[in-house]
């Protein structure tokens, strides 16, 4: 893949930031128009929970990216890229499980009143569980994104983010407008997170 120029990379980074930060502004009118007050409140709660992704990463993504840079420079005290990849896989498999379990426990402890006020308790609970799983996939993808950044593939990383942000915004908007069902909305979040994870993994595994 041909690398983007610095100017295009800056533009792409800015666009990604706008897409990510502006996502709630774009989706909020739809949620208010098509969902009940209780469902809208739970959807807003999901937004708070998914914002914990960087907290659940424990700050490892930038540290791992730097470690890949050091590996490329062949510093005496650095691991090889292959060893870092194996270590990253172990770390982020653990973080995936930790995030899913932690988010599930946190949601069960804090969102019961919100879920109980929705029209269908079991559907709302299942949808919230899907959101926790989506958060876990977001965290797990950070290990692959750290490799992309550390090995000089910032353009691929930004394109991955763009695909994710566009897909998530479109999928959630369609789920809200067409189904007004929390389970389908949760599936939209989970599906877009899976795309981010597998696309990042594919791009990172192509780099040796």
């Amino acid at each position: 893949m041909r690398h983007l120029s610095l100017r295009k990379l800056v533009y792409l980074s800015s666009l990604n930031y706008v897409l990510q930060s502006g996502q709630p502004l774009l989706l909020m009118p739809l949620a208010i128009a098509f969902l009940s007050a209780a469902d809208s409140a739970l959807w807003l709660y999901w937004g708070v929970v998914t914002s914990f992704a960087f907290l659940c990463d424990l700050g490892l993504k930038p540290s791992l990216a730097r470690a890949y840079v050091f590996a490329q420079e062949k510093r005496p005290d650095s691991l090889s890229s292959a060893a870092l990849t194996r270590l990253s896989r172990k770390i982020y498999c653990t973080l995936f499980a930790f995030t899913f379990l932690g988010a599930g426990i946190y949601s069960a402890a804090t969102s019961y009143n919100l879920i109980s006020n929705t029209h269908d308790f079991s559907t709302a609970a299942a949808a919230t569980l899907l959101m926790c799983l989506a958060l876990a996939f977001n965290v797990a993808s950070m290990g692959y994104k750290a490799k992309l950044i550390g090995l000089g593939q910032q353009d691929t990383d930004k394109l991955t983010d763009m695909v994710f942000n566009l897909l998530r915004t479109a999928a959630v908007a369609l789920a809200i407008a067409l189904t007004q069902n929390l389970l389908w909305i949760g599936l939209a979040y989970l599906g877009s997170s899976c795309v981010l994870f597998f696309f990042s993994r594919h791009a990172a595994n192509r780099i040796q």
Side-chain angles (χ1 to χ4, degrees), residues 152-169:
Q153 299 292 320
Q154 291 92 338
D155 47 358
T156 304
D157 176 62
K158 295 305 177 185
L159 287 170
T160 301
D161 283 343
M162 175 170 286
V163 170
F164 168 65
N165 287 318
L166 288 173
L167 180 62
R168 167 159 287 187
T169 302

Side-chain angles (χ1 to χ4, degrees), residues 19-151:
L19 286 172
Q20 184 176 5
S21 301
Q23 200 173 98
L25 295 176
L26 294 172
L27 296 176
M28 179 77 74
L30 287 175
I32 293 174
F34 290 99
L35 300 180
S36 66
D39 288 355
S40 296
L42 185 59
W43 175 77
L44 289 171
Y45 171 85
W46 290 351
V48 174
V49 173
T50 54
S51 69
F52 292 162
F54 288 102
L55 175 63
C56 296
D57 176 60
L58 302 178
L60 293 175
K61 178 184 172 183
S63 299
L64 187 59
R66 284 194 295 271
Y68 275 107
V69 173
F70 296 157
Q72 290 296 100
E73 296 175 351
K74 300 187 184 301
R75 297 192 180 187
D77 57 344
S78 65
L79 296 174
S80 66
S81 293
L84 278 171
T85 299
R86 291 192 296 270
L87 178 61
S88 174
R89 188 176 294 116
K90 292 179 182 179
I91 290 173
Y92 278 92
C93 282
T94 302
L95 286 177
F96 176 90
F98 168 79
T99 301
F100 182 51
L101 181 62
I105 294 173
Y106 179 85
S107 296
T110 60
S111 66
Y112 179 82
N113 287 336
L114 289 174
I115 294 175
S116 62
N117 285 326
T118 59
H119 296 303
D120 189 337
F121 180 91
S122 58
T123 296
T128 302
L129 189 65
L130 291 178
M131 283 299 304
C132 295
L133 189 56
L135 174 61
F137 272 109
N138 286 352
V139 172
S141 69
M142 291 184 183
Y144 296 111
K145 291 166 69 61
K147 182 178 181 180
L148 291 173
I149 295 171
L151 297 183

